[in-house]
Amino acid sequence: MGTPETDSSLMLVSFVYFVTNEMAGSDSGFAPILFLSLVVACAARPLYPLPSKVSHGNRLPLQTSRPYNIAHRGSNGEIPEETSAAYMRAIEEGADFIETDILSSKDGVLICFHDATLDDTTDIADHKEFANRKRTYDVQGVNTTGFFTVDFTLKELKLLRVKQRCSFRDQQYNGKFPIITFEEFISIALDAPRIVGIYPEIKYPIFINQHVKWPGGKLFEDKFVGILKKYGYKGSYLSEPWLKQPLFIQSFAPTSLVYISNLTDSPKIFLIDDITMPTQDTNQSYWEITSDAYLDYIKDYVVGIGPWKDTIVPVLENYLQTPTDLVARAHSHDLQVHPYTYRNENKFLHFDFHQDPYTEYDYWINKIGVDGLFTDFTGSLHNFQEWTSPLSKDDGDDNSPSKLLHKIALLVSSYKN
């Protein structure tokens, strides 16, 4: 859980939301004024224009001496996924990166949302005015029926409220928070009191490009990179611009990653699905895209891979089997490995970990040797790392041993290129 201060902030926002909703039924114009006044005075994050204008002076740098703590859709084990509150909680709990999935509205505004449909994580079913919007589309070769983000304008999407995906997780924040835009997500990171990276995914690029059209024939990928550039995201991995505004771009679609390599030098991660799932754009098998030949090819476009963790260490009847050599082979091709997804609940912990998420983190970090972890519980991973590999006082010092090693790596990389 978070600190008492953050818990009280979230409770206050919920209270203000309830009171102003009740007052909105009257003819008084006081309700919106009251809402703005209370939020500005008391909420965890102030209102501000985009791009962010908040200055935090000399912010603590991103740590680069231990595996990255990647907040999967925010701290979504506690708060509904992809919401501003989930991302703020993750930052408070120590995330190095906040991760999001990028889709589009009907009018071409990029939003933070995981599913192609709104059904599972919003209150769309309660909005009878949208009842006629249900459609059936082909999404990655599967006929899918529901309410799709691409059939709603941003104004309409903002009327919806997000809910917790998993019934066994805390439901108290359901209906409290709206869908946010990509730009709002970026501003949350830029407004953090320390440097926090972003980790956006280009989600369903084929589907989005089929259903949403931008002026001048631009693609989803063009719009995506354009927003990143607008906010100053640039630079290769560990370069000076990157360290100021850290970014990993991720996608399951290798064609998209190759395409945007011509648009930005920001580091990219190739996501790898289960062994039964082919790539969504090139229809390549898991075995082909994890072969040495393919890793040698893709390393010209990405700095790492993001595999489903059970493909790295197979599981049988909820027990771990012999680890594959994927991590070692990726490292031999100078590729990082950021597996997904780590979750605290017993139903997600294999028997080998004795219902202890810290044992799982220890296994993956110290035995398998991964370079970053997507987690639904940012605070748990942060606590484990602080206990087992606390950051040294000179972690932000440019002349510290770790930073000097990074500089040497950059020089070697430049020489290779």
Side-chain angles (χ1 to χ4, degrees):
M1 297 298 292
T3 63
E5 291 79 11
T6 59
D7 286 337
S8 60
S9 295
L10 287 168
M11 290 174 65
L12 177 62
V13 172
S14 300
F15 171 74
V16 172
Y17 175 83
F18 171 80
V19 171
T20 51
N21 267 0
E22 291 296 309
M23 295 183 67
S26 70
D27 294 329
S28 170
F30 179 65
I33 296 173
L34 172 64
F35 178 78
L36 288 174
S37 300
L38 286 173
V39 170
V40 169
C42 306
R45 175 168 167 263
L47 298 177
Y48 49 80
L50 297 175
S52 175
K53 301 297 183 182
V54 177
S55 175
H56 291 286
N58 294 322
R59 299 190 298 170
L60 286 174
L62 177 76
Q63 71 79 21
T64 57
S65 62
R66 64 191 188 193
Y68 292 126
N69 183 336
I70 306 162
H72 182 240
R73 308 179 205 168
S75 187
N76 88 88
E78 301 175 63
I79 300 174
E81 65 187 50
E82 316 254 10
T83 60
S84 57
Y87 291 120
M88 289 187 285
R89 175 63 63 87
I91 291 170
E92 292 164 358
E93 292 180 333
D96 298 316
F97 288 84
I98 51 175
E99 187 264 355
T100 192
D101 306 275
I102 303 301
L103 291 172
S104 178
S105 65
K106 181 179 181 179
D107 48 347
V109 180
L110 301 194
I111 61 170
C112 297
F113 205 77
H114 180 270
D115 298 355
T117 59
L118 299 159
D119 303 54
D120 288 344
T121 57
T122 75
D123 61 356
I124 184 68
D126 298 331
H127 287 260
K128 303 308 180 185
E129 70 271 28
F130 298 138
N132 64 348
R133 301 287 183 92
K134 183 172 284 191
R135 301 286 187 273
T136 298
Y137 294 134
D138 180 290
V139 182
Q140 290 184 226
V142 178
N143 278 339
T144 304
T145 299
F147 296 93
F148 290 81
T149 69
V150 295
D151 290 325
F152 294 80
T153 65
L154 178 64
K155 183 177 180 180
E156 291 171 330
L157 290 172
K158 283 291 189 179
L159 297 175
L160 307 179
R161 291 297 177 265
V162 182
K163 64 182 181 180
Q164 175 59 252
R165 178 183 297 272
C166 302
S167 61
F168 49 83
R169 288 179 174 171
D170 192 350
Q171 304 294 305
Q172 69 169 310
Y173 300 118
N174 290 352
K176 300 291 193 300
F177 308 111
I179 293 170
I180 64 173
T181 67
F182 190 13
E183 294 190 68
E184 289 170 329
F185 166 81
I186 288 172
S187 289
I188 291 170
L190 294 181
D191 286 355
R194 56 185 172 81
I195 292 178
V196 174
I198 61 172
Y199 208 127
E201 178 184 346
I202 303 172
K203 196 77 176 179
Y204 302 129
I206 294 176
F207 176 79
I208 296 296
N209 281 318
Q210 287 173 340
H211 291 271
V212 183
K213 303 301 177 185
W214 285 274
K218 287 189 175 182
L219 299 175
F220 178 32
E221 291 89 343
D222 297 312
K223 183 75 172 178
F224 179 96
V225 173
I227 289 175
L228 291 172
K229 288 184 174 180
K230 173 182 176 181
Y231 286 88
Y233 285 91
K234 60 183 179 180
S236 58
Y237 181 60
L238 293 178
S239 66
E240 186 175 350
W242 187 88
L243 288 170
K244 290 180 179 178
Q245 292 184 213
L247 161 71
F248 286 111
I249 298 171
Q250 54 172 331
S251 182
F252 284 98
T255 301
S256 289
L257 294 170
V258 172
Y259 179 83
I260 65 170
S261 292
N262 295 315
L263 305 177
T264 177
D265 62 349
S266 294
K268 303 153 196 75
I269 300 291
F270 176 37
L271 299 175
I272 298 174
D273 214 324
D274 189 67
I275 60 173
T276 62
M277 296 291 292
T279 54
Q280 59 184 242
D281 55 343
T282 57
N283 201 38
Q284 292 170 285
S285 72
Y286 169 85
W287 309 109
E288 181 177 353
I289 62 176
T290 58
S291 67
D292 282 318
Y294 193 82
L295 294 177
D296 196 50
Y297 157 76
I298 202 66
K299 75 176 184 182
D300 289 338
Y301 304 99
V302 304
V303 300
I305 58 174
W308 167 235
K309 61 186 177 69
D310 285 1
T311 65
I312 298 174
V313 183
V315 175
L316 180 63
E317 297 180 351
N318 208 31
Y319 285 99
L320 299 176
Q321 304 301 295
T322 303
T324 69
D325 62 352
L326 180 58
V327 172
R329 289 192 298 107
H331 286 166
S332 73
H333 290 278
D334 297 322
L335 293 169
Q336 296 184 45
V337 181
H338 299 174
Y340 64 92
T341 302
Y342 296 85
R343 300 176 168 109
N344 283 10
E345 291 96 352
N346 290 343
K347 66 183 299 180
F348 298 118
L349 291 170
H350 303 311
F351 292 145
D352 309 70
F353 302 129
H354 313 292
Q355 301 180 350
D356 182 357
Y358 297 122
T359 302
E360 182 179 37
Y361 289 136
D362 180 60
Y363 175 83
W364 283 93
I365 292 172
N366 296 314
K367 182 172 182 178
I368 303 301
V370 299
D371 308 290
L373 303 91
F374 288 76
T375 177
D376 284 1
F377 293 89
T378 312
S380 295
L381 176 54
H382 180 73
N383 288 340
F384 174 79
Q385 290 185 299
E386 284 294 289
W387 293 332
T388 59
S389 54
L391 298 176
S392 62
K393 292 182 179 180
D394 66 355
D395 193 67
D397 182 358
D398 284 341
N399 293 317
S400 68
S402 62
K403 291 292 169 55
L404 289 174
L405 286 174
H406 287 313
K407 289 180 180 180
I408 293 170
L410 283 173
L411 290 173
V412 171
S413 176
S414 299
Y415 176 76
K416 286 181 179 179
N417 294 333

